[in-house]
């Protein structure tokens, strides 16, 4: 299958390991990623707060780029997924569409709304399919207890995201099971990571991140995994602050979605960029190596 | 004619602070038709099994907003939630009081902070004393003006959103989704004469603590969509006053940042949001991350077609919000 690859800002910069792991997994599973150096930022929820229509228009341009190539668009970030999907939804309002068209038409850009926005999690579980992935597993994850952490914008608002149940999602856990991990169910898996207010009130953001990590740990998680690089920043990059907020150390390795898949499909830690994490992932890789 | 019933197991939170050492869950098993509302089941428990079970309710028709509680961990109206789907999904029904408010007894919580946050936004029309309403005249609105409220007049103040909100849980400075949705309703009311003041005040009164996680919009039994109205308020607050707080500086900084290269320049945004002194306080954390992720300090290349992005900004970033202020 062939998809317009929308890596998003973070995976091209400080979260580059996510891009590395995505490319490795795509290659292993026969997904052709078509890059477009003309994609702009999705707005990340922040641009939307400053100017909603501008944000919709910039994403209409992104969607039109994929549309012109006749491709659906692949995201690897819950927030990119949310913002691009939301643009598709809002452009269904003729008043919004008229304003956006007014800005795009003079540039020769036409948005028709035929491009579907799909997150990697959806592509893996629905398009590639769990059976096909199971067939490619060369290093089962040895019952590693993993707490999936979905990220708000992949799920909510549910009536606009058109994805699985926002209250009881299960695609990530289904995927983890196929990879040989034991999914851990905990309340925090559908909660917020705190990232949106990391720049507003860091201590509150850390309290929220800490709460979800503590919850995952209390339910036995040895690692967490997320389909969102912004959640990853909160849970991994700022985990030391989260630990301070909850008053004890957390030591919770946090993997990106394609890193968990890549590990089970036989990628090396270096190929997946695991050395770039703030919280060491060696407890996981050592365990898998001991088993192999 | 006999109706088909299901055997329903309820685990109900019981706690009387000051009397009980710790909360406990009492189990009640009842045979009921699957369409039975949870509230009806709880009233049956109270009438037939345990008269001491304490809960709040009134209209039984999803109008009064009294019976919100946690049903299998979700904040919902007990009069509206049927037992059938809950049993199908979870096998039993766990009933707990709403979150983010202290328990008075069993399922009844102290709503003091919820109502305090509500009254703080001054949920009534504020008129300018220099322009009093003419004696004996009404102050009507056109249907188009009423449409500005969007779904907010539907709110029944049940506090399901307040219970579901992680910002309320983590920070008492956040007024909660319901108070902000109500504030929106008064800000866009063409008869209100304090919308400017309201927007200025809320910038420092917690507006920017919203996590936009949309858990409130998911929890709301009336589809008021508080998270979307909070977004509207943020855009209107920036239009009214400019970027004065960390939150609004971040949003406006983000907008300017994307205009330059089409994608995010992470380091520059941190500088814009925190300012030079604030940035210094962030330095130790920044250095920790930079050592693993050196790209943090690198400005990205401008995207191809940056000129298109610039032209879209020229067309649509002209200082007007989508909700033109009254």
């Amino acid at each position: 299958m062939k998809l317009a690859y929308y890596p998003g800002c973070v995976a091209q910069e400080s979260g580059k390991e996510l891009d590395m792991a995505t490319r490795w997994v795509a290659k292993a599973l026969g997904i052709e990623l078509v890059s477009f150096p003309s994609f702009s930022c999705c707005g990340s929820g922040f641009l939307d707060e400053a100017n909603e229509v501008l944000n919709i228009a910039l994403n209409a341009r992104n969607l039109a780029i994929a549309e012109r190539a006749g491709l659906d668009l692949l995201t690897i970030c819950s927030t990119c997924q949310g913002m691009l999907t939301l643009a598709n939804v809002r452009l269904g309002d003729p008043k919004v569409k008229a304003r956006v068209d007014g800005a795009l038409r003079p540039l020769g850009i036409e948005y028709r709304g035929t491009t579907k926005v799909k997150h990697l999690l959806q592509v893996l579980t629905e398009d590639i399919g769990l059976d096909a992935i199971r067939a490619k597993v060369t290093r089962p994850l040895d019952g590693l207890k993993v707490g999936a952490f979905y990220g708000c914008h992949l799920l909510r608002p549910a009536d606009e995201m058109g994805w699985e149940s926002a209250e009881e999602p299960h695609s990530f856990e289904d995927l983890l099971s196929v990879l040989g991990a034991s999914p851990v169910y905990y309340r925090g898996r559908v909660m917020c990571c705190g990232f949106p207010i990391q720049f507003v009130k860091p201590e509150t953001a850390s309290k929220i991140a800490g709460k979800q990590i503590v919850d995952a740990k209390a339910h036995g998680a040895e690692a967490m995994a997320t389909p969102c690089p912004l959640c990853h920043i909160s849970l991994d990059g700022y985990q030391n602050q989260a630990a301070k907020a909850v008053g004890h150390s957390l030591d919770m390795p946090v993997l990106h979605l394609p890193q968990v898949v890549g590990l089970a499909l036989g990628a090396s830690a270096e190929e997946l960029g695991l050395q770039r994490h703030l919280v060491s992932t060696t407890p996981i890789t050592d365990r898998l190596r001991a088993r192999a | 004619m006999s109706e088909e019933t299901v055997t329903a197991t309820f685990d109900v939170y019981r706690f009387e602070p000051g009397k009980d050492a710790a909360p406990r869950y009492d189990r009640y098993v009842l045979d009921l038709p699957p369409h039975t509302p949870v509230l009806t089941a709880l009233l049956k428990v109270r009438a037939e099994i345990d008269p001491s079970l304490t809960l709040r309710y009134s209209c039984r028709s999803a109008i009064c907003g009294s019976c919100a509680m946690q049903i299998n961990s979700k904040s919902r109206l007990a009069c509206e939630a049927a037992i059938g789907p809950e049993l199908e999904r979870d096998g039993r029904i766990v009933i707990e009081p709403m979150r983010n408010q202290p328990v008075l007894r069993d399922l009844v919580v102290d709503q003091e902070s919820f109502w305090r946050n509500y009254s703080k936004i001054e949920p009534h029309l504020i008129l300018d004393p220099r322009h009093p309403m003419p004696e004996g005249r009404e102050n009507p609105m056109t249907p188009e003006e009423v449409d500005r409220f969007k779904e907010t007049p539907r709110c029944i103040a049940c506090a399901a959103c307040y219970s579901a909100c992680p910002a309320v849980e983590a920070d008492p400075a956040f007024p909660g989704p319901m108070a902000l949705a109500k504030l929106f309703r008064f800000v866009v009311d063409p008869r209100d004469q304090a919308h400017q003041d309201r927007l200025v005040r809320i910038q420092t009164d917690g507006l920017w603590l919203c996590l936009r996680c949309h858990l409130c919009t998911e929890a709301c039994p009336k589809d008021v969509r508080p998270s979307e109205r909070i977004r509207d308020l943020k855009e209107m607050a920036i239009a009214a006053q400019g970027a004065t707080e960390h939150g609004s500086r971040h949003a406006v900084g983000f907008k300017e940042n994307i205009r330059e290269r089409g994608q995010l320049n992470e380091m520059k945004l941190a500088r814009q949001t925190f300012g030079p002194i604030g940035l210094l306080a962030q330095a130790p954390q920044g250095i920790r991350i930079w050592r693993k992720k050196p790209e943090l300090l690198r400005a990205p290349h401008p995207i191809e077609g940056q000129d298109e992005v610039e032209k879209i900004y020229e067309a649509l970033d002209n200082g007007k919000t989508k909700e033109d202020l009254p």
Side-chain angles (χ1 to χ4, degrees):
Chain A
M1 80 182 297
K2 193 168 157 182
L3 293 164
Y5 178 44
Y6 187 91
C9 299
V10 175
Q12 294 178 78
E13 302 295 330
S14 65
K16 215 176 63 188
E17 68 279 1
L18 169 59
D19 175 62
M20 294 160 62
T22 302
R23 289 176 187 280
W24 193 98
V25 166
K27 200 171 163 202
L29 294 172
I31 306 169
E32 189 184 337
L33 302 179
V34 184
S35 292
F36 293 91
S38 46
F39 279 148
S40 69
C41 168
C42 76
S44 190
F46 295 110
L47 177 56
D48 181 54
E49 296 173 334
N51 186 333
E52 184 182 31
V53 174
L54 172 67
N55 198 169
I56 294 169
L58 292 173
N59 281 331
R61 175 182 168 277
N62 287 328
L63 292 163
I65 291 168
E67 197 167 51
R68 221 158 31 225
L71 296 172
D72 283 339
L73 186 145
L74 172 73
T75 67
I76 51 172
C77 167
S78 298
T79 302
C80 295
Q81 176 68 22
M83 296 317 296
L84 286 156
T85 305
L86 207 57
N88 261 339
V89 173
R90 296 280 181 266
L91 285 159
D93 177 344
K95 271 197 248 161
V96 175
K97 175 87 163 38
R99 282 193 70 185
V100 168
D101 279 346
L104 298 188
R105 218 174 276 128
L107 306 173
I109 300 170
E110 193 197 359
Y111 165 90
R112 287 181 291 130
T114 58
T115 286
K116 285 198 200 86
V117 181
K118 290 181 170 185
H119 190 282
L120 179 62
L121 183 60
Q122 190 180 4
V123 169
L124 292 177
T125 53
E126 287 181 0
D127 297 336
I128 301 295
L130 296 176
D131 289 336
I133 294 174
R134 189 184 285 113
K136 300 250 177 176
V137 171
T138 57
R139 186 172 53 195
L141 297 180
D142 190 27
L144 185 75
K145 291 188 186 129
V146 182
F149 189 87
Y150 280 84
C152 297
H153 301 276
L154 188 59
L155 302 171
R156 293 183 295 267
D159 55 351
E160 293 177 333
M161 290 306 116
W163 169 241
E164 62 184 321
S165 158
E167 293 183 334
E168 305 283 345
H170 55 81
S171 62
F172 207 160
E173 286 82 3
D174 295 348
L175 177 63
L176 288 169
S177 299
V178 161
L179 302 173
S182 304
V184 170
Y185 292 83
Y186 61 109
R187 179 172 181 267
R189 73 199 181 99
V190 294
M191 298 297 287
C192 176
C193 71
F195 180 82
I197 58 166
Q198 188 64 57
F199 293 90
V200 179
K201 205 165 176 185
E203 61 276 25
T204 302
S206 296
K207 210 166 138 184
I208 293 169
K211 192 181 162 63
Q212 319 311 352
I213 301 171
V214 166
D215 189 17
K217 208 167 189 160
H219 286 79
E222 300 165 86
M224 290 169 78
T226 178
C228 180
L230 304 182
C231 295
H232 195 267
I233 293 174
S234 254
L235 300 174
D236 176 69
Y238 286 84
Q239 193 177 114
N240 61 324
Q241 303 293 331
K244 224 180 271 173
V246 298
H248 55 85
S249 66
L250 292 165
D251 301 320
M252 176 66 80
V254 185
L255 300 172
H256 295 284
L257 160 70
Q259 288 177 328
V260 200
V261 180
L263 277 175
L265 266 52
S268 71
E270 290 70 32
E271 285 170 315
L272 300 172
L274 291 179
Q275 71 285 358
R276 294 170 50 86
H277 291 207
L278 274 283
V279 179
S280 171
T281 55
T282 47
I284 302 173
T285 45
D286 283 354
R287 180 171 154 176
L288 294 179
R289 201 172 299 126
R291 153 103 186 196
Chain B
M1 192 173 84
S2 77
E3 203 174 4
E4 230 171 89
T5 61
V6 288
T7 301
T9 302
F10 294 87
D11 287 326
V12 182
Y13 178 98
R14 306 296 306 270
F15 184 46
E16 197 180 340
K19 196 173 152 211
D20 301 335
R24 66 177 195 279
Y25 288 81
D26 283 351
R27 176 162 286 193
Y28 307 105
V29 182
L30 303 170
D31 285 327
L32 296 163
H35 59 73
T36 308
V38 168
L39 178 61
T40 306
L42 293 175
L43 293 178
K44 196 172 160 68
V45 167
R46 200 169 72 167
E48 296 173 12
I49 307 172
D50 186 348
S52 73
L53 175 64
T54 308
L55 67 155
R56 219 184 234 135
Y57 73 99
S58 178
C59 79
R60 311 189 199 195
S61 308
I63 297 293
C64 76
S66 301
C67 69
M69 56 184 69
Q70 286 195 87
I71 301 170
N72 285 337
S73 302
K74 281 123 208 154
S75 304
R76 302 193 58 186
L77 296 178
C79 67
E80 212 178 30
I83 62 167
E86 295 298 321
L87 288 169
E88 241 166 68
R89 201 184 54 235
D90 291 355
R92 60 174 183 151
I93 302 177
V94 180
I95 303 289
E96 292 163 309
M98 283 198 287
R99 302 171 72 91
N100 298 337
Q101 298 150 95
V103 171
L104 290 173
R105 183 167 165 174
D106 296 344
L107 303 173
V108 176
V109 295
D110 181 355
Q111 295 194 298
E112 193 274 330
S113 70
F114 174 73
W115 291 114
R116 180 164 30 84
N117 278 308
Y118 176 54
S119 42
K120 212 171 151 193
I121 62 123
E122 298 193 64
H124 51 83
L125 286 181
I126 299 176
L127 301 175
D128 187 337
R130 288 167 303 176
H131 306 288
M133 288 273 302
E135 272 307 308
R137 287 244 326 259
E138 288 182 355
N139 196 354
M141 284 191 290
T142 64
E144 291 72 30
E145 285 171 333
V146 173
D147 283 346
R148 285 180 176 176
F149 295 157
K150 301 193 177 164
E151 303 89 348
T152 54
R154 292 185 200 159
C155 176
I156 56 172
C158 68
C161 60
Y162 196 77
S163 169
C165 177
V168 167
E169 183 178 8
D171 199 324
F174 185 59
M178 177 269 204
L180 290 171
K182 289 282 185 191
L183 176 66
F184 170 88
R185 179 246 170 276
F186 285 98
V187 165
V188 297
D189 191 320
R191 303 165 301 174
D192 191 83
Q193 291 165 332
H195 49 259
Q196 183 78 17
D197 291 348
R198 290 178 188 274
L199 288 169
V200 167
R201 223 171 343 130
I202 201 63
Q203 280 231 59
T204 49
D205 280 357
L207 174 65
W208 294 98
L209 290 172
C210 168
L211 296 154
R212 60 180 131 76
C213 65
H214 301 297
L215 281 159
C216 55
T217 291
E218 241 23 82
C220 178
K222 296 292 171 188
D223 199 26
V224 168
R225 310 187 82 79
S227 51
E228 294 177 1
R229 301 296 75 81
I230 295 171
R231 191 223 64 83
D232 293 342
L233 281 176
K234 286 172 173 173
E235 186 169 346
M236 288 189 282
I238 292 171
Q241 194 194 13
T244 56
E245 302 305 305
H246 274 161
S248 43
R249 281 219 301 275
H250 194 66
V252 171
F254 203 100
K255 187 180 76 179
E256 296 313 320
N257 201 297
I258 301 308
R259 184 174 201 156
E260 271 175 31
R261 291 165 198 267
Q263 30 176 336
L264 183 62
N265 183 344
E266 291 172 312
M267 195 57 210
K268 183 163 183 189
L269 182 61
R271 223 161 43 226
Q272 283 166 315
T273 303
F274 291 114
I277 293 165
L279 192 64
L280 212 59
Q282 299 292 319
Q285 185 68 14
I287 291 166
R288 277 187 78 246
I289 297 177
W290 167 76
R291 284 167 61 189
K292 295 279 190 160
K293 300 167 181 265
E295 303 81 6
L296 194 65
L297 288 180
R298 202 181 65 190
H301 295 298
I303 60 162
E304 283 177 16
Q306 178 60 28
D307 52 323
E308 292 175 357
V309 168
E310 175 59 32
K311 291 214 172 77
I312 294 171
Y313 268 77
E314 281 168 18
L316 293 173
D317 194 33
N318 44 22
K320 278 196 193 134
T321 60
K322 198 177 63 153
E323 311 295 324
D324 290 323
L325 288 174

